Amino acid sequence: MNENDSEHIAGVLVRAGAAKADRPEDADIVVVNTCAVRQKSEEKLYSYLGRLSGLKKKRPFLLGVAGCVAQVRKAHLLEKLPFVDFVAGPDNYLDLPEIVGRAAEAPTVRADFGTDWREVGPEATARENPWSAFVPVMEGCDNFCSYCIVPFCRGREKFRPLPNIVAEARAAAGAGAVEIQLLGQNVNSYRDPESGLGFAGLLDAMCAVPGAEWVRFITSHPKNFGDDIIRAMAANPKVCPALHLPLQSGSTRILERMNRGYTREEYLALAARLKESLPGILLSTDVIVGFPSETEEDFEATCSLLREVRFAGIFSFRYSPRPLTAAAAIPDDVPLEIKRRRLIALQALQKTIQVEINRSFVGREVRVLGTGPSPKGAGRFAGRTDGNLVVNFDSAADPSGRFLTVRITGSGPYSLHGTTVEL
Ligand code: SF4
């Protein structure tokens, strides 16, 4: 979502006559896009803004902060950081030309949720990647998980009309995108505002887009993942056999306190249905360790769930209280040392699982979408499988944006490697 927001911010300004600079040192307007989900990302913002303020002393430019931190910290940003010229919340990107114009005269803030939500649209999207297009389907979230700041940054759920989504996907595919990635905080709750068609119908519509060979979507909520979506995934070979399904905790007691709306057993049953209906599907997830009151028993329940489901990848974090959330009002009572120890243990467990999953690909030929040069050295390139595994391989030509077959010759915990069979 963040990357797509940056494409919108750049696209809106480019449409108003700006040109993209490669680095802040060369820019007349610098917009810092932000994430408020974790305290750490917010701390990084303040240190980055400090560096930009030093740059601004040497050469003046307009400095703006956009995104979720801008939304929830708007007053603080302008009052405490006088070198910030403007602040724009996630629902205000279409106003950026006007905001920037005003900021040239005086510090300016636009961080309101309009009652009439306006989607940015493809005409104001500066795509970073020509072969893989992010296509937002909704914005905001109604779930209010007790630890999560997103509903306060992005507002309540708003859905794009289906014809607009299809038109954007068709245009992107017509311009060379072979992969469509549907985006939203909770894509499974999608409903076309006109027809009421749900996410399964949206998947069907995406798979009918000529030129789009792979369709992915993120993020799914387990409580909204109906069997109709599983059936649509199984019926459409273009839908990639990879699913990010945030877990957060394997303990029903903690899930209740997180207001997640499902139990451990319900999550396990959903994972089992997915694996049965979509053989070979690779699941990934998010986990928070050290949520208030988490005991060793709760933590062990998370570990045992990881062993049972065998995710191909996880994003795992130590809990940190976020402003405005319900959990911020309860004591953050798991000591930092215990949070650290649990995170290390969880990541070590996950690493052993990934080593085993990745090793099972050695000797197989897999279809890979090339993504560009690999950091592994000259002549090496990287790509992703339909299951979203990273593959590093040798290739005579840059395969970016092209499908190729790679024979897997080795693996590690975080990637596969191999040689190109055909290009
Ligand atoms: S579903 Fe929960 S965790 Fe996800 S964005 Fe909404 S409130 Fe946050």
Side-chain angles (χ1 to χ4, degrees), residues 37 140-151 157 184-186 219-221 223-224 246 248 258-260 286 288:
V37 160
C141 185
D142 285 355
N143 286 315
F144 291 91
C145 300
S146 65
Y147 54 83
C148 183
I149 197 171
V150 166
E157 286 180 346
Q185 271 77 32
N186 182 11
T219 296
S220 295
H221 196 305
K223 81 176 167 61
N224 296 113
Q248 310 304 2
M258 289 177 162
N259 192 30
R260 288 290 289 171
D286 300 329
I288 297 171

Side-chain angles (χ1 to χ4, degrees), residues 334-385:
V334 179
L336 183 59
E337 267 320 299
I338 293 183
K339 286 182 186 166
R340 281 199 181 121
R341 176 171 56 70
R342 288 181 188 165
L343 188 64
I344 290 168
L346 187 89
Q347 291 176 342
L349 165 64
Q350 178 59 24
K351 194 170 168 185
T352 62
I353 294 168
Q354 283 177 209
V355 163
E356 288 165 14
I357 290 176
N358 289 351
R359 195 182 291 140
S360 72
F361 283 84
V362 175
R364 285 160 62 176
E365 289 185 359
V366 295
R367 195 170 184 231
V368 169
L369 177 58
T371 52
S374 159
K376 302 280 179 193
R380 300 284 283 169
F381 292 90
R384 285 187 174 268
T385 66

Side-chain angles (χ1 to χ4, degrees), residues 7 46 100 196 328:
E7 292 180 338
Y46 295 122
V100 171

Side-chain angles (χ1 to χ4, degrees), residues 3-74:
E3 287 178 35
N4 185 235
D5 276 1
S6 293
E7 292 180 338
H8 287 160
I9 292 165
V12 167
L13 290 172
V14 166
R15 191 173 55 162
K20 269 176 96 175
D22 288 334
R23 39 181 219 148
E25 286 81 353
D26 302 327
D28 299 314
I29 306 164
V30 174
V31 186
V32 184
N33 190 15
T34 62
C35 173
V37 160
R38 296 171 64 215
Q39 196 175 332
K40 199 169 167 186
S41 56
E42 195 175 329
E43 284 161 9
K44 280 187 187 168
L45 165 70
Y46 295 122
S47 73
Y48 185 57
L49 287 176
R51 291 211 297 282
L52 287 175
S53 102
L55 197 60
K56 215 176 152 184
K57 280 185 196 137
K58 293 185 201 146
R59 190 184 60 80
F61 54 83
L62 285 175
L63 175 58
V65 181
C68 290
V69 180
Q71 183 70 41
V72 292
R73 302 284 197 202
K74 47 190 179 275

Side-chain angles (χ1 to χ4, degrees), residues 58-350:
K58 293 185 201 146
R59 190 184 60 80
F61 54 83
L62 285 175
L63 175 58
V65 181
C68 290
V69 180
Q71 183 70 41
V72 292
R73 302 284 197 202
K74 47 190 179 275
H76 171 84
L77 284 165
L78 281 195
E79 281 162 21
K80 303 282 182 206
L81 306 175
F83 50 87
V84 171
D85 299 298
F86 64 94
V87 169
D91 270 14
N92 305 104
Y93 298 150
L94 282 172
D95 304 321
L96 272 170
E98 181 203 327
I99 295 169
V100 171
R102 284 203 196 160
E105 310 294 327
T108 306
V109 179
R110 282 297 301 277
D112 41 67
F113 298 120
T115 46
D116 195 12
W117 179 62
R118 300 161 304 153
E119 47 180 310
V120 172
E123 62 287 349
T125 303
R127 292 200 191 285
E128 286 285 329
N129 186 335
W131 60 84
S132 178
F134 294 127
V135 177
V137 305
M138 51 95 64
E139 168 79 16
C141 185
D142 285 355
N143 286 315
F144 291 91
C145 300
S146 65
Y147 54 83
C148 183
I149 197 171
V150 166
F152 306 97
C153 305
R154 301 256 173 188
R156 306 299 288 259
E157 286 180 346
K158 292 141 293 201
F159 303 118
R160 291 181 75 189
L162 181 77
N164 298 13
I165 299 170
V166 172
E168 177 164 357
R170 280 181 172 268
V178 292
E179 179 181 67
I180 301 293
Q181 304 201 51
L182 302 177
L183 298 180
Q185 271 77 32
N186 182 11
V187 290
N188 314 140
S189 69
Y190 177 78
R191 286 279 171 279
D192 175 31
E194 279 291 313
S195 66
L197 191 84
F199 187 67
L202 175 59
L203 276 184
D204 289 337
M206 282 301 107
C207 292
V209 170
E213 293 204 35
W214 282 1
V215 174
R216 301 184 189 278
F217 54 92
I218 193 166
T219 296
S220 295
H221 196 305
K223 81 176 167 61
N224 296 113
F225 211 98
D227 286 343
D228 58 333
I229 302 174
I230 299 179
R231 279 195 295 276
M233 291 176 75
N236 286 300
K238 285 183 176 182
V239 178
C240 290
L243 181 67
H244 190 70
L245 194 64
L247 165 69
Q248 310 304 2
S249 171
S251 155
T252 296
R253 190 184 73 83
I254 295 293
L255 287 170
E256 257 172 41
R257 299 198 81 185
M258 289 177 162
N259 192 30
R260 288 290 289 171
Y262 53 87
T263 63
R264 168 192 177 86
E265 289 69 30
E266 284 164 347
Y267 188 98
L268 283 169
L270 174 58
R273 285 203 301 282
L274 282 160
K275 288 186 175 192
E276 192 186 319
S277 305
L278 302 153
I281 189 170
L282 294 178
L283 301 178
S284 57
T285 200
D286 300 329
V287 175
I288 297 171
V289 300
F291 185 81
S293 86
E294 185 189 70
T295 61
E296 283 302 319
E297 200 182 326
D298 294 318
F299 174 64
E300 179 46 41
T302 302
C303 294
S304 73
L305 195 146
L306 258 58
R307 285 187 210 100
E308 192 165 337
V309 174
R310 296 177 61 77
F311 296 102
I314 67 168
F315 295 97
S316 51
F317 309 99
R318 292 194 305 262
Y319 169 76
S320 59
R322 306 304 296 128
L324 308 173
T325 62
I330 51 178
D332 180 15
D333 58 0
V334 179
L336 183 59
E337 267 320 299
I338 293 183
K339 286 182 186 166
R340 281 199 181 121
R341 176 171 56 70
R342 288 181 188 165
L343 188 64
I344 290 168
L346 187 89
Q347 291 176 342
L349 165 64
Q350 178 59 24

